[in-house]
Amino acid sequence: MRKDIENIEDIKVLVDTFYGRVQENEFIGPIFNSKLEGRWPEHLEKMYAFWQTILLEEYTYRGKPFPPHAQLPVEGEHFEEWKRIFNGTVDELYEGKIADEAKWRAERMAAMFLSKIEYFREAGMKPLE
């Protein structure tokens, strides 16, 4: 039986495993790798803090998560692949209330990010940084 996500160490395992899979993914990996080339460690640290804040209510994340994603060349199918990898990683590593919340939060974020990306594209605008 898998345990639930309980602490920052669990978050780090989730984030490292997930982004390791993203980097190797033929469909979304090139997008992430080109954007984060040479900056993966910095990005992972930011993601630890983001998920720690969201799931454990330990407020370590400071930032605006949407603007870095606003200009990415992504469509709905990219978000579907991102969710498939994320949910599969969560399910493989953890189970429980917080693990379920992680998947729910990822679903909501993907929908919101896609909606905002489409809005800014259609309006020909860039979001405020």
Side-chain angles (χ1 to χ4, degrees):
M1 179 168 165
R2 297 171 314 263
K3 69 182 202 84
D4 204 354
I5 298 168
E6 299 172 349
N7 53 47
I8 187 61
E9 295 310 315
D10 294 337
I11 297 285
K12 287 180 178 182
V13 169
L14 172 61
V15 167
D16 289 345
T17 305
F18 168 67
Y19 279 107
R21 291 173 180 173
V22 164
Q23 289 178 63
E24 294 173 2
N25 183 275
E26 292 179 8
F27 187 52
I28 64 173
I31 296 167
F32 279 85
N33 290 326
S34 68
K35 181 80 172 169
L36 295 169
E37 186 175 354
R39 297 183 313 110
W40 272 106
E42 171 189 331
H43 181 69
L44 294 175
E45 287 294 328
K46 197 176 288 186
M47 292 301 93
Y48 302 151
F50 178 80
W51 286 106
Q52 181 181 25
T53 298
I54 297 282
L55 297 176
L56 303 178
E57 296 184 10
E58 296 172 5
Y59 299 96
T60 57
Y61 178 76
R62 305 276 186 274
K64 297 177 182 176
F66 178 69
H69 298 84
Q71 301 300 318
L72 292 178
V74 294
E75 305 293 339
E77 54 268 15
H78 296 98
F79 283 97
E80 289 301 317
E81 184 69 359
W82 183 91
K83 290 186 304 184
R84 184 190 68 75
I85 297 167
F86 186 83
N87 291 338
T89 303
V90 172
D91 286 342
E92 180 183 317
L93 298 172
Y94 303 106
E95 68 180 354
K97 181 179 169 213
I98 297 174
D100 290 341
E101 183 176 347
K103 294 184 291 183
W104 182 85
R105 297 274 189 158
E107 180 73 37
R108 301 282 72 75
M109 272 187 290
M112 182 198 50
F113 277 26
L114 179 59
S115 176
K116 288 177 78 169
I117 287 170
E118 289 172 344
Y119 170 80
F120 283 108
R121 277 186 194 153
E122 290 171 13
M125 299 169 25
K126 284 186 171 185
L128 297 175
E129 298 281 323

